[in-house]
Amino acid sequence: MARVYSKGHGKSGSALPYVRRPASWQKKTTEDIVSIITGLAKKGMMPSKIGAVLRDQFAIGLINHYTGTRVTRILRAAGVAPEIPEDLYFLIKRAVQMRKHLERNPRDISTKYHLILVESRIYRISRYYKSTKKVPATFRYQAKNAAALLASFA
């Protein structure tokens, strides 16, 4: 599938391991992993960061092989999941940073153009998340309220 705002088709990607069970040398149980995940989430880490920490510090490659579920589902069951999805959060954060930059540099045409692209992506992904009920139906991105929106979800 082609990218929306570029010419590339993005053929590269990682391949999942063939064996779909935990490594034989790994001694962590499902309960240990779930407690680590919820502990990291309570410290304020996002799900992708939690996965990177588990991979780098605890040698747990795919959480799904150990627990049977994903990190966000574990967080949702524990009641510590982020209120809006991570990709939408970071798109809004990027748009806020771009607006701050444009306040200081109002003639930066390239940033103006890319802000339009980022905000259109925000509108598209928020429409999808409303239809799948991952954000409330009343969620609405507005540029003037975006910084306050980030503060409330952080």
Side-chain angles (χ1 to χ4, degrees), residues 36-48:
I36 292 170
I37 290 171
T38 54
L40 292 173
K42 288 177 182 174
K43 289 181 181 176
M45 286 191 184
M46 289 284 197
S48 63

Side-chain angles (χ1 to χ4, degrees), residues 4 29 40-41 47 68 72 79 90 95 131 143 153:
V4 178
T29 63
L40 292 173
T72 51
F90 283 115
S131 68
F153 287 124

Side-chain angles (χ1 to χ4, degrees), residues 20-133:
R20 289 187 165 83
R21 60 180 175 272
S24 59
W25 49 266
Q26 183 61 263
K27 301 302 179 204
K28 297 249 185 256
T29 63
T30 302
E31 293 79 23
D32 295 339
I33 295 171
V34 169
S35 66
I36 292 170
I37 290 171
T38 54
L40 292 173
K42 288 177 182 174
K43 289 181 181 176
M45 286 191 184
M46 289 284 197
S48 63
K49 184 73 173 171
I50 292 171
V53 167
L54 287 171
R55 181 196 64 212
D56 297 339
Q57 293 181 7
F58 297 98
I60 298 170
L62 291 171
I63 290 93
N64 193 8
H65 293 177
Y66 292 85
T67 62
T69 59
R70 299 176 180 190
V71 174
T72 51
R73 290 181 182 160
I74 293 169
L75 295 177
R76 209 174 299 132
V80 290
E83 294 182 27
I84 62 172
E86 191 174 4
D87 52 352
L88 180 59
Y89 174 82
F90 283 115
L91 280 175
I92 293 171
K93 187 174 178 181
R94 183 184 302 169
V96 168
Q97 290 171 344
M98 290 173 114
R99 285 204 177 270
K100 282 184 185 176
H101 173 78
L102 281 173
E103 286 175 8
R104 292 186 311 265
N105 307 289
R107 293 173 57 187
D108 189 353
I109 297 167
S110 175
T111 303
K112 283 182 186 176
Y113 172 72
H114 286 93
L115 177 64
I116 292 168
L117 298 183
V118 168
E119 287 186 338
S120 67
R121 228 175 294 159
I122 291 170
Y123 294 132
R124 182 183 305 123
I125 201 166
S126 63
R127 191 170 55 238
Y128 166 74
Y129 283 138
K130 282 182 192 177
S131 68
T132 58
K133 296 183 175 45

